[in-house]
Amino acid sequence: MKKILVTGANGQLGSELRELSVHYSQFEWVFADRSVLDLSDLESISNTLNVIQPHIIINCAAYTAVDKAEAETELADVLNHQAVAVMAQWSASHACRLIHISTDYVFDGNSSTALDEEAPTAPINVYGQTKLSGEQACLRENTEAIIIRTSWVYSRFGNNFVKTMSRLMQERDQLSVVNDQIGSPTYAADLAQAIMTIITHTHWQSGIYHFSNEGKISWYEFALAIQEIGGFDCLVNGIPSSDYPTPAKRPHYSLLDKSKIATTFGVVVPGYRESLKTCIELIRINSCN
């Protein structure tokens, strides 16, 4: 029986993979949080992997505090870059397959068309730069690795835009949300399913792939959809990014082209509204329990 190791097990994607794992009992699953596999301790990573001996690694762990990364550059680089290099080295030398999760933040946001995997990278913040360095190290150390770039991830687990908006829309009369950053959200459960579609596919095709839900929207339009689907009585105002300054710059346009992952592995890419409805319903059920 092949063993799948999921890093970042308590994050949004790791939690969704745990939910999904019951449908893939042909695998032995190991869900590793920081207490099991501490990616900030570079010396210990290979030793831990030697003990676990996975056949497949799904690396969901990352430093994702985009604004804090501007000050915690070194820690962000260790988690998003150097630790990935170590995992890639280990997986290459142990015939272990590696799926590494990356981000739309590797782009500068100056495009006006959906970004495919060949689009030039040019990060505009520390988080994006460390994730790009991680991608480069991953493919340098393990040419058989698969990298999946994703964007605007949300889930019923963890902290995310959908849960924050749902809470604020019940607490406040009105909200302001930026309307000039364009992309598409990703329901982590859909990304988890895409990963399992790849793992169970007849052919392993290494390289970089893009995955998010279908749809081209701004954060403001995403908030309006949350308001409508959630049935919240709150006025949502669209504002320019200049009215909401943050320590880290955000790309203005990061819509991902998903045609490669769909064509190569037959991955189904759901529309963002249907996935958002599913997630909001699950959040509601969880809050009632």
Side-chain angles (χ1 to χ4, degrees), residues 197-216:
T197 299
I198 290 170
I199 286 174
T200 55
H201 197 268
T202 50
H203 299 296
W204 181 269
Q205 189 67 46
S206 62
I208 298 173
Y209 296 87
H210 289 172
F211 183 88
S212 68
N213 286 120
E214 290 291 3
K216 175 187 175 184

Side-chain angles (χ1 to χ4, degrees), residues 19-76:
E19 292 288 307
L20 197 57
S21 66
V22 297
H23 302 292
Y24 292 90
S25 56
Q26 70 267 41
F27 298 105
E28 179 184 350
W29 293 82
V30 177
F31 290 92
D33 62 11
R34 199 173 300 152
S35 67
V36 176
L37 182 61
D38 183 359
L39 296 186
S40 67
D41 183 0
L42 296 172
E43 302 297 317
S44 72
I45 295 173
S46 292
N47 292 336
T48 303
L49 293 176
N50 285 333
V51 172
I52 297 172
Q53 286 290 320
H55 300 95
I56 301 162
I57 298 172
I58 306 172
N59 182 36
C60 308
Y63 182 108
T64 57
V66 177
D67 289 321
K68 279 177 72 177
E70 296 296 307
E72 297 184 345
T73 308
E74 198 170 313
L75 178 58

